[in-house]
Amino acid sequence: MRTKHDFFCTSSPKKSKVKNSRSAREQRKEKETEDEEQGLNYVTSEENSEPKWLGKTNFVEIRSFWQVFRSFDRMWSFFILSLQAMIIMACHDVGSPLEVFDAVILEDVMSIFITSAILKLIQAILDITFTWKARNTMELSQKRIQLLRLAYAVIWTIVLPVVYAQSRRKYTCYSTQYESWIGKWCYSPFMVVVVIYLITNAVDLVLFFVPAVSKYIEISNWSICRTISRWTQPRLYVGRGMQETQISLFKYTFFWMLVLSTKLVFSYSFEIKPLIAPTREIMKIGVQTYDWHELFPKVRSNVGAIVAVWAPIIVVYFMDTQIWYSVYCTVCGGLYGILHHLGEIRTLGMLRSRFHSLPSAFNRLIPPPSKKRTKSFLQNIFCKVSKSEVLDLKFVLVWNQIISNFRSEDLISNREMDLMTIPTSGLFPEFIRWPIFLLANKFSTALSIARDFVGKDEKLFKRIRKDEYMYFCVKECYESVKYILEVLIVGDLEKRVVSNIVNEIERSIEESTFLQDFKMSALPALQNKVVELLELIAEGDKNQNGKVVQVLQDIFELVTNDMMANGHRVVDLIECSQEAVDDFTVFSRKIEPQLFESAASKTSICFPLPEDGPLTEQIQRLLLLLTVKDKAMDIPANLEARRRISFFATSLFMDMPSAPEVCSMMSFSVMTPHYMEDVNFSMKELQSSKGQVSIIFYMQKIFPDEWKNFLERMGYQNFNELIDDGKEEEIRKKINELIDDGKEEEIRKWASFRGQTLSRTVRGIMYYRQALKLQALFEMPEYKDVLEDVNVFERNNPKSSAELDALVDMKFTYVVSCQMFGSHKSSGDPRAEDVKDLMIRYPALRVAYIEEKEEIIGDKPQKVYFSILAKAVGTFDQVIYRIKLPGPPIIGEGKPENQNHAIIFTRGEALQTIDMNQDNYLEEALKVRNLLQEFHHNRGRRPPTILGLREYIFTESVSTLAWFMSYQETSFVTIGQRLLANPLRVRFHYGHPDVFDRLFHITRGGISKASKTINLSEDVFAGFNSTLRRGCITYHEYLQVGKGRDVGLNQISKFEAKVANGNSEQTLSRDIHRLGRRFDFFRMLSCYFTTIGFYFSSLISVLGIYVFLYGQLYLVLSGLEKALLIEARMKNIESLETALASQSFIQLGLLTGLPMVMEIGLEKGFLTALKDFVLMQLQFAAVFFTFSLGTKTHHFGRTIMYGGAKYIPTGRKVVVFHASFTENYRLYSRSHFVKGFELLLLLVVYDLFRRSYQSSMAYVLITYSVWFMTMTWLFAPFLFNPSGFDWDKIVDDWKGWNKWIKEKGGIGIQQNKSWQSWWNDEQAHLRRSGYGARLFEILLSIRFFLYQYGLVYHLDISQQSKNFLVYVLSWVVILAVFLTVKAVNIGRQLFSARYHLMFRFFKAFLFLSVFAIVITLSVICELSSKDLLVCCLAFLPTGWGLILVAQAVRPIIENTGLWQFTEVLAKSYDYGMGSILFFPIAILAWIPIFSEFQTQFLFNPAFNRHLQIQPILEGKKKQK
């Protein structure tokens, strides 16, 4: 590789200069205008050669909105032509589709192909324009094709309109021989020309329905096939042969036919057709007078009114397909989930009822099959449980390992582990011993049934046998008591007594006389005595021997006297046993001492019992069976443990491949990129409060049950009472005691495993190794049928354990790419030690990092870079590989290069990418062999190249926002991706934890594109790359991985902004362009609406609101609406309401709500889903989603127009704290607040001038959703800000706000310290923009001047004058105001320091002068108070428009006084907007109940879990 990074240059001798070569200056200039990093280096080589730029040969990234049309031109052409056709049909009042075949209507409808030809011409021009920069490097054949396309489009653009104009209404008609629905068949020359025009489309249509032929043409090497293909695409390897199978084609075609037909019918019936009649009325009425100076008085037919009415409808028409896609996505994704058993086991009750079928399902899928068997989809639906393998040894050991793992993670307590563990001892092999949590209260219930039962024995036994768990519980208790008594009682006489009683019981059961021979009323007393006996045995205290004897005697008396009808026979039999039995000489002695008592020479009972593991385990189990009550029905109590068990059980019934043996499975690697994130929390971080509560205190409040379990595991149960009292200082003291006892490392681990740390991720991924080792152990011949713990077997067989380690290491490799590990080691950063500790804790872990050194090369020091792989040897890290790099590896966003440099250290056939904020679980790791087998199964034409996996968002535990975000993210990673993979076939790579076909991707461009800016969302480009190279991406829901997300509004907004910026850059990329061009029509629709289309539709929806309001403002201020309503009594409000109803879907968050409700319904039940959805709305979910809509649209629109996309770190903080007013203003000022104030002014003005002729109800119906969005954009950040209405924090925020506004900016001053620095940073997008973008910014600013134009003619002082001079005078007033402000500013600079009194007199003079002018104008020119209000409404937006214009032309005015005045004016506007926002917040802060209400709804999920949030929020006060 070249060390100078001149990959795009080639050397050429000076004498052989190429005509097309350009100077380095021109090349640098071109590079500045392009967005994609070219990696150019124009250094002249020593061999007298100059560099020649290779350049782009096909596609050049140009920043423009036109890229959306260029890449998806077929979709936009379809929508435009459909709109035109529907308008024509509505004008002809078509009510039935058959009416279209009328010759007149058909000819008019076919005029859409004129528009089609024009659109193709525009497309050809765009192709030439956007590839103009590559004209010198593009192949000549490609240039010819582009010119031919242009000529072809020009010819048809001329021919079709000319023929249509000349042959319109000139028909040639033929009557059909037989009467039919066609009747008379007429056609015109234009129709014939259209048929000729559509011949090429007919060929494409035929190829569409035969994808195999189309694929063959694209990938064939025949010259004729290459010629045909090159007409549609350039000669490229990528983007060819991506066609799917006929079945897949049918499925996604049918899906989109449903979506488009519904959309078009709805648009025609409710959007377009209702507007035709009002439009005709508007055109008929002639409006002669206007309320302002009409700039175009000669334009008739009220064109402006028609545009104002139709514009919002057109905007909605182009975006509501996204809504219909969401609806059908919900339906199809829900049906798919139901068919694939999703959510079959979603509660503990369902788990208990289906637990008996888990072992057979487990043995069918997880262990390798013992013999070849066929698998089908129906097999998982109609599977029967085999009783002989219900509790197979492998299932029992795996289940116990999972439960033990839960305990090590502190998800369950010791008691819960005992209740959930399945016994593995060899006792009672003749029947099943279920885990106790399944048998909770079963024995007590059976006892109650028997006690109160009246009837025959058969009915009682049948009733008990009906409940399988109850039957096994009773049987196990009976057999256990027998076994324990056999071990406990060693006296011959006592054994004889017990034996007789047992024989009597069993005889009665066999003869069905049990209810006659025994009285059931004494069963509860017998249970209590047995429990007392078991407790004494479990304690094992020798001093309790007398109590044991007494309890045994009580039991004997209770059984013989109170229960047995013939109990005296047992006593009589004992007394006469000497004469009756000759063989048992032991009964020759008298019964002295009493029964069960020990004599001097003999002992009757063996107490305490001998140390025997199985016996001790069975005693504890029997004690639990007899004593556990209804509370065990809720075991496990931890919600996370419940979820994981339920999902694991559900996944066993899903369709997954059978697992191979470990030695035969695919080898795979896992890679995790890490930069500067936390590895482990240090004790200093955990206990540091920084003015708020400490992290450890926060963790204890959020995870109280897990903290109790941790203390129990550490042996500190006495600390549990400190958890619920909210006293941080006492908890800190107890933690210090733990630290003194050497538990510091355990505390760090506990807290780190609950944050978004690298240690949590490493622990989760290393479960793969643990699972594979466990499964490999089961496959060892010497382990079969061994009833012992896995760890015990490994300790007893070190050789076998070493063989297992070697086998697992061959199949699994984990590489963590710690980019900064080298620099952290050299600088002594604690994170380096934490990473080293991870390597020591997990010896199989490998760490890759980049090392930077200085070496002397040619007597000059130069930096040299190495890619290094290290492992732990003892307590040190050892370098395994060291690879020298050609130069600095980080040339892009950082994360892609971090992955790319480490991918060479991975091994195996598959590669899973895991982000460092993810988690994994042992029970899911058990299914990795099944997952990897998917690579061997064809999904369509080819086996998959990327396996998509399900994610669970584990950061939903506290705040309502985290809950919203979790549900939104869950709906996308489940029901959304489920539909993308099948049937739409357009799932890409949306981040981790997908599994790649490693060999496929490292030979086709890798898994990450590293170009700066344009590959900001580097993950999705891996999916684009795979699909373009004929890869196949699937999605599998039987395996899940944990995922952390942001939990505060500011963090969420930063994440949304980052994703929106990434999608904007995708719009410009060659990958999206090639996918949009090379996919067939319906797959292209899927690609658009599931990638950039969502963001573009959101942008259109917001623009539609502006279009509607400015259109209504035009009608109101011009007087058109009043004149039209009065003269024609036209009622067109219904049509507008229909248009706004579609917008309300997006504004109220229902777009994301529908899939969310369906997914919650599938996994938790539809009643729960309905409750959750209603609860979310009550907790202002609509406010959150509407606010997020503003974030997406702002950043998507700004980036696609101006660029400047960059990675935005969100922090991934654990704790949710109060954000200052200054921070909120900085984040949301331009994205939400400015737009919110603009909408607010438009709504106020519209309401002010429509009242004379329009009802208030009509105004509310039209604008309610806009009012909702306006208020949301203005106040949502403060509504979702913890302690946002706490008076003390309000006071601190006000002081910080004023300090931030007044602080001077400059070099080195961060934007969070000074308004000036922040304001300069906010204009960075304009500084990078060209003249076109600056001109576009100026054009957008003109709307404020037009707004002013409409208002000034409604001033009373204008005396209804329509002269243009009124508008000119308004600018004079604005100039006077600016001069006054400038005078005050100059006076402050000159007099405020030395002549303070003079400055006060100067300000007083200006005030009195302005006041006198106002009084004079009110007396002479009839200036009213309404005029003052209207002037403020008119001039304030004008001032903001002037600021925007000044920012756009900053290079011109920056060195003049105008720029300083612009800065002062901008600061005044920001201070004014901030003060207006702050005022209602301060008012609400005076109401204490409002702060409590905010805390309740903001942390409702925490309150539902009975967590204490107030101590967390008031942590700062406690610190004080």
Side-chain angles (χ1 to χ4, degrees), residues 1048-1109:
L1049 182 63
N1050 292 352
Q1051 294 174 312
I1052 293 173
S1053 296
K1054 289 178 181 179
F1055 171 77
E1056 296 280 6
K1058 178 177 65 176
V1059 176
N1061 288 338
N1063 273 268
S1064 182
E1065 294 297 334
Q1066 293 170 32
T1067 307
L1068 315 178
S1069 67
R1070 63 187 63 199
D1071 305 79
I1072 279 290
H1073 173 74
R1074 288 166 180 165
L1075 289 172
R1077 287 290 187 90
R1078 298 309 307 149
F1079 275 154
D1080 60 67
F1081 178 74
F1082 294 108
R1083 203 172 172 201
M1084 177 263 297
L1085 290 178
S1086 303
C1087 177
Y1088 172 78
F1089 285 105
T1090 57
T1091 53
I1092 65 172
F1094 173 78
Y1095 289 88
F1096 195 71
S1097 297
S1098 301
L1099 178 63
I1100 291 177
S1101 67
V1102 174
L1103 291 177
I1105 295 173
Y1106 281 90
V1107 170
F1108 163 73
L1109 283 181

Side-chain angles (χ1 to χ4, degrees), residues 22-82:
R22 293 161 291 172
S23 65
R25 181 179 179 183
E26 293 173 336
Q27 294 170 6
R28 286 194 299 270
K29 183 177 180 181
E30 180 175 3
K31 176 181 178 299
E32 292 174 359
T33 60
E34 294 184 6
D35 289 272
E36 182 174 286
E37 181 108 351
Q38 304 296 324
L40 308 183
N41 195 338
Y42 303 95
V43 180
T44 305
S45 64
E46 297 178 359
E47 287 83 4
N48 294 327
S49 62
E50 59 182 8
K52 173 188 174 183
W53 183 56
L54 296 180
K56 302 292 184 70
T57 59
N58 176 259
F59 186 90
V60 181
E61 289 78 5
I62 303 295
R63 190 167 299 282
S64 172
F65 271 108
W66 283 105
Q67 291 282 14
V68 181
F69 175 80
R70 184 190 177 206
S71 299
F72 301 96
D73 58 304
R74 290 173 292 166
M75 180 194 69
W76 293 109
S77 298
F78 171 79
F79 284 140
I80 293 171
L81 299 181
S82 299

Side-chain angles (χ1 to χ4, degrees), residues 1178-1241:
L1178 295 177
Q1179 294 175 7
F1180 304 103
V1183 174
F1184 169 74
F1185 289 122
T1186 305
F1187 189 82
S1188 297
L1189 174 69
T1191 304
K1192 295 184 183 79
T1193 56
H1194 171 78
H1195 291 279
F1196 181 82
R1198 172 182 280 193
T1199 302
I1200 199 174
M1201 197 63 219
Y1202 305 106
K1206 58 183 178 181
Y1207 182 84
I1208 303 175
T1210 59
R1212 293 171 179 165
K1213 296 298 182 183
V1214 181
V1215 189
V1216 180
F1217 286 136
H1218 173 80
S1220 67
F1221 180 85
T1222 304
E1223 181 180 357
N1224 284 330
Y1225 190 85
R1226 286 191 299 107
L1227 288 176
Y1228 306 118
S1229 174
R1230 299 306 184 254
S1231 60
H1232 294 82
F1233 296 157
V1234 170
K1235 296 180 176 64
F1237 277 116
E1238 181 180 357
L1239 293 176
L1240 181 64
L1241 290 176

Side-chain angles (χ1 to χ4, degrees), residues 1483-1499:
I1483 295 298
L1484 292 175
W1486 276 91
I1487 309 175
I1489 193 174
F1490 194 84
S1491 179
E1492 296 178 4
F1493 166 74
Q1494 185 211 25
T1495 302
Q1496 177 68 41
F1497 86 80
L1498 192 56
F1499 294 96

Side-chain angles (χ1 to χ4, degrees), residues 629-875:
K629 300 298 182 183
D630 291 337
K631 289 184 178 180
M633 303 286 285
D634 296 327
I635 297 297
N638 185 274
L639 298 179
E640 175 68 3
R642 290 185 184 184
R643 183 195 64 79
R644 285 171 55 176
I645 290 178
S646 299
F647 181 81
F648 176 70
T650 300
S651 66
L652 295 179
F653 298 96
M654 294 183 180
D655 184 25
M656 71 172 80
S658 297
E661 293 185 352
V662 175
C663 59
S664 303
M665 67 175 287
M666 290 181 63
S667 57
F668 73 105
S669 296
V670 180
M671 183 170 62
T672 298
H674 176 266
Y675 180 54
M676 298 281 288
E677 297 88 353
D678 291 324
V679 179
N680 268 330
F681 293 131
S682 66
M683 289 307 302
K684 182 178 180 181
E685 290 175 316
L686 291 178
Q687 294 185 312
S688 175
S689 61
K690 296 181 179 180
Q692 303 286 354
V693 296
S694 62
I695 295 178
I696 190 64
F697 178 75
Y698 184 88
M699 291 283 193
Q700 292 162 2
K701 293 301 177 182
I702 301 306
F703 308 104
D705 52 346
E706 297 177 29
W707 176 249
K708 289 181 181 180
N709 297 335
F710 168 73
L711 292 178
E712 183 184 31
R713 182 163 58 88
M714 294 292 105
Y716 293 89
Q717 292 90 335
N718 57 332
F719 286 2
N720 286 337
E721 64 271 10
L722 293 174
I723 293 178
D724 300 325
D725 59 3
K727 298 178 181 179
E728 184 179 5
E729 291 298 330
E730 296 184 14
I731 291 179
R732 186 173 296 177
K733 292 179 182 178
K734 294 301 180 182
I735 291 176
N736 290 332
E737 293 183 19
L738 289 174
I739 295 173
D740 295 338
D741 292 342
K743 304 297 183 182
E744 175 181 346
E745 192 64 26
E746 294 296 331
I747 295 175
R748 290 183 61 199
K749 289 180 184 178
W750 183 88
S752 300
F753 290 158
R754 278 144 190 84
Q756 299 186 45
T757 60
L758 180 63
S759 61
R760 177 176 188 165
T761 304
V762 172
R763 181 197 65 172
I765 298 305
M766 293 308 291
Y767 283 145
Y768 280 139
R769 193 174 191 279
Q770 182 179 345
L772 291 177
K773 191 172 182 179
L774 178 65
Q775 291 167 328
L777 180 62
F778 293 157
E779 296 164 12
M780 295 183 67
E782 56 268 31
Y783 188 76
K784 291 183 178 179
D785 301 326
V786 177
L787 294 173
E788 64 180 11
D789 186 72
V790 176
N791 297 326
V792 175
F793 178 84
E794 291 182 358
R795 286 196 300 269
N796 297 334
N797 300 271
K799 181 180 179 181
S800 299
S801 180
E803 293 176 358
L804 289 177
D805 289 333
L807 176 60
V808 173
D809 288 338
M810 289 174 59
K811 297 298 180 180
F812 169 69
T813 305
Y814 185 27
V815 178
V816 177
S817 183
C818 296
Q819 180 180 331
M820 304 299 294
F821 180 65
S823 60
H824 285 166
K825 281 202 306 181
S826 59
S827 62
D829 194 294
R831 277 172 288 200
E833 289 300 321
D834 290 337
V835 172
K836 191 182 299 183
D837 290 341
L838 287 178
M839 289 193 286
I840 296 172
R841 191 187 314 163
Y842 306 102
L845 176 65
R846 300 292 180 261
V847 173
Y849 61 95
I850 296 171
E851 185 180 61
E852 177 183 337
K853 287 185 176 180
E854 279 196 0
E855 293 185 358
I856 304 300
I857 301 177
D859 297 332
K860 293 182 180 179
Q862 291 188 6
K863 289 185 178 181
V864 182
Y865 300 88
F866 296 90
S867 183
I868 295 176
L869 183 69
K871 68 176 181 179
V873 177
T875 58

Side-chain angles (χ1 to χ4, degrees), residues 885-1100:
L885 302 177
I890 308 301
I891 59 175
E893 299 295 338
K895 183 179 177 182
E897 297 92 328
N898 194 17
Q899 295 184 127
N900 290 336
H901 96 91
I903 196 173
I904 59 173
F905 300 127
T906 59
R907 297 291 181 267
E909 303 162 83
L911 173 64
Q912 184 180 28
T913 52
I914 291 288
D915 210 346
M916 64 77 49
N917 64 334
Q918 292 192 273
D919 197 4
N920 196 25
Y921 316 111
L922 176 63
E923 64 274 14
E924 301 304 313
L926 293 168
K927 296 174 283 189
V928 70
R929 293 186 299 175
N930 307 76
L931 176 70
L932 295 175
Q933 284 299 103
E934 297 283 357
F935 283 116
H936 300 302
H937 294 185
N938 281 0
R939 299 290 180 172
R941 295 186 181 276
R942 55 191 76 87
T945 53
I946 298 179
L947 305 178
L949 299 182
R950 172 192 177 101
E951 290 179 316
Y952 166 72
I953 311 302
F954 57 73
T955 50
E956 63 173 1
S957 53
V958 177
S959 72
T960 300
L961 292 181
W963 186 42
F964 295 162
M965 192 69 178
S966 172
Y967 273 1
Q968 177 183 349
E969 194 75 12
T970 300
S971 66
F972 171 71
V973 300
T974 54
I975 196 170
Q977 295 192 29
R978 188 183 308 150
L979 188 75
L980 296 183
N982 188 21
L984 299 186
R985 312 296 292 176
V986 290
R987 187 193 183 274
F988 301 113
H989 174 53
Y990 304 103
H992 312 83
D994 289 0
V995 182
F996 292 83
D997 183 335
R998 180 174 172 272
L999 300 180
F1000 178 92
H1001 285 88
I1002 63 175
T1003 57
R1004 290 168 177 83
I1007 63 172
S1008 294
K1009 286 195 174 183
S1011 297
K1012 195 172 182 62
T1013 303
I1014 199 165
N1015 295 138
L1016 178 64
S1017 299
E1018 82 287 342
D1019 296 327
V1020 74
F1021 284 95
F1024 294 160
N1025 187 52
S1026 182
T1027 304
L1028 286 168
R1029 286 158 175 78
R1030 305 177 207 168
C1032 176
I1033 304 176
T1034 58
Y1035 176 68
H1036 309 278
E1037 293 190 87
Y1038 54 79
L1039 195 149
Q1040 68 173 355
V1041 175
K1043 178 75 171 180
R1045 281 299 183 201
D1046 307 296
V1047 296
L1049 182 63
N1050 292 352
Q1051 294 174 312
I1052 293 173
S1053 296
K1054 289 178 181 179
F1055 171 77
E1056 296 280 6
K1058 178 177 65 176
V1059 176
N1061 288 338
N1063 273 268
S1064 182
E1065 294 297 334
Q1066 293 170 32
T1067 307
L1068 315 178
S1069 67
R1070 63 187 63 199
D1071 305 79
I1072 279 290
H1073 173 74
R1074 288 166 180 165
L1075 289 172
R1077 287 290 187 90
R1078 298 309 307 149
F1079 275 154
D1080 60 67
F1081 178 74
F1082 294 108
R1083 203 172 172 201
M1084 177 263 297
L1085 290 178
S1086 303
C1087 177
Y1088 172 78
F1089 285 105
T1090 57
T1091 53
I1092 65 172
F1094 173 78
Y1095 289 88
F1096 195 71
S1097 297
S1098 301
L1099 178 63
I1100 291 177

